Amino acid sequence: MPLEVIYVTRHGFRSNWLVDPSTGAYSATIRSPTGGPADPALTAHGVDQAKELAERLLVVDPPIERVYSSMYYRCLQTVEPFVRKAAETDKTPGRRLLIRGETGIGEWYGAADFEHPVPAGHDVLQPLFPGLLDPEYEPLVVPTRKGEGIDDLHERVAKTMDALITKCDREGVRAILLCSHAAVVIALGRVLTGNMPESTDVEDFRAFTCGLSVYRRRKMASCDTGIRPGAGTAAGTAAGAEIGGLKNNGRTADLASEKGPELGWRDGRGVSGGWDCHLNSDCSHLSLGEERGWRFSGDESFKDAPAGQSMLDAGAELGVVVEGKAKHPGGEKRDSRGKL
């Protein structure tokens, strides 16, 4: 049975970090459980969001059979409540969910002359998430440590999804969950549907904290629901993703670039035959609704940043925070950027 449905979520509210683009030095006021300054934990509100997301994920149809997550702490923390509750409710032998750490859907850092951080390895993460990580899983794609331009990011995500979908097809997996970061969530929508806009900074696929997006395979959608596969928008310029080497323990191996074959996902084709978006970062399961959305700003590099001036984390500096339709209990106003 081929893969039919891909569920996508962004991690919950997190704390921020600073980076000095002239030196590549990262820093944070709140210490990360992994010790990495660019690897913050969720805020208390983010933890609440993750719990609400878990309740939604437990009742999706078809049910989730595999969980793939960025290896950054905030993403693992976001899917943890769901994976633990799924284990409590499904005692079927051999069907216990484990989190597969996939660096191919890891954080996006703009191109730089310095090396960006990498997520912690399994030796650090296993004690923090006991019994939840799949120690046997090998990441399919690893981003270069020097960062990526926007086209490079999309090609990296396309390469990851092409390999991941092929693997799931071969192993008879029907539905999977991906947990990632704002830029990757947007890129996932574009490479799965093949709808790459002429201007990358448009707000097409949304990325609210703990929002849920659902993509269904076009041949499945056409046969089961009569929905006609969507046509693509204007094509962008194809570019190969620069891939570096990174082992599970987090040590850099080989940073030489590799450019694989063009996957031909643009012009509305989408990877692996194409997918239709049925939910676009839906937040109806969250008590405070849409918060801390994000879109690309068009700036894709740290190389021209002012020297000696620290910048708020890459996610905020390389994009634009999008105001969502947040719910305000008691009329209280809430900043969609959240509490740090």
Side-chain angles (χ1 to χ4, degrees), residues 236-258:
T237 302
E242 185 181 22
I243 307 299
L246 181 72
K247 295 186 181 298
N248 275 347
N249 60 12
R251 293 198 301 268
T252 303
D254 179 14
L255 289 176
S257 66
E258 297 177 10

Side-chain angles (χ1 to χ4, degrees), residues 52 95 245-246 301 333:
E52 292 176 331
R95 277 174 50 176
L246 181 72
S301 176
K333 292 184 178 180

Side-chain angles (χ1 to χ4, degrees), residues 190-224:
R190 292 172 177 177
V191 305
L192 289 173
T193 64
N195 295 338
M196 183 70 177
E198 290 184 358
S199 176
T200 56
D201 61 354
V202 302
E203 189 181 353
D204 47 3
F205 297 96
R206 311 174 85 189
F208 294 109
T209 49
C210 282
L212 179 64
S213 297
V214 178
Y215 297 90
R216 294 182 181 271
R217 209 163 197 163
R218 284 180 184 157
K219 62 182 179 181
M220 300 297 177
S222 298
C223 294
D224 297 344

Side-chain angles (χ1 to χ4, degrees), residues 132-154:
L132 289 187
L133 304 182
D134 184 347
E136 303 299 321
Y137 183 74
E138 292 283 345
L140 299 170
V141 174
V142 181
T144 171
R145 290 199 62 182
K146 288 295 183 72
E148 304 155 302
I150 293 178
D151 277 339
D152 295 328
L153 166 68
H154 285 77

Side-chain angles (χ1 to χ4, degrees), residues 232-278:
T233 57
T237 302
E242 185 181 22
I243 307 299
L246 181 72
K247 295 186 181 298
N248 275 347
N249 60 12
R251 293 198 301 268
T252 303
D254 179 14
L255 289 176
S257 66
E258 297 177 10
K259 296 204 174 185
E262 300 284 344
L263 294 175
W265 58 269
R266 299 175 188 242
D267 289 318
R269 290 185 291 271
V271 295
S272 302
W275 304 72
D276 287 322
C277 181
H278 285 243

Side-chain angles (χ1 to χ4, degrees), residues 11-87:
H11 61 75
F13 260 77
R14 60 163 172 81
S15 57
N16 287 332
W17 65 81
L18 294 173
V19 56
D20 183 341
S22 64
T23 63
Y26 280 76
S27 61
T29 302
I30 303 174
R31 178 175 171 79
S32 164
T34 66
D39 193 17
L42 299 180
T43 63
H45 177 49
V47 172
D48 289 341
Q49 287 181 311
K51 292 176 181 177
E52 292 176 331
L53 173 65
E55 296 300 324
R56 175 78 175 275
L57 295 176
L58 285 169
V59 296
V60 295
D61 184 33
I64 295 164
E65 298 176 39
R66 283 188 184 172
V67 177
Y68 296 88
S69 175
S70 163
M71 292 180 69
Y72 281 99
Y73 189 86
R74 54 196 178 275
C75 288
L76 298 174
Q77 198 178 9
T78 296
V79 295
E80 179 180 13
F82 164 66
V83 174
R84 292 203 183 280
K85 286 202 171 190

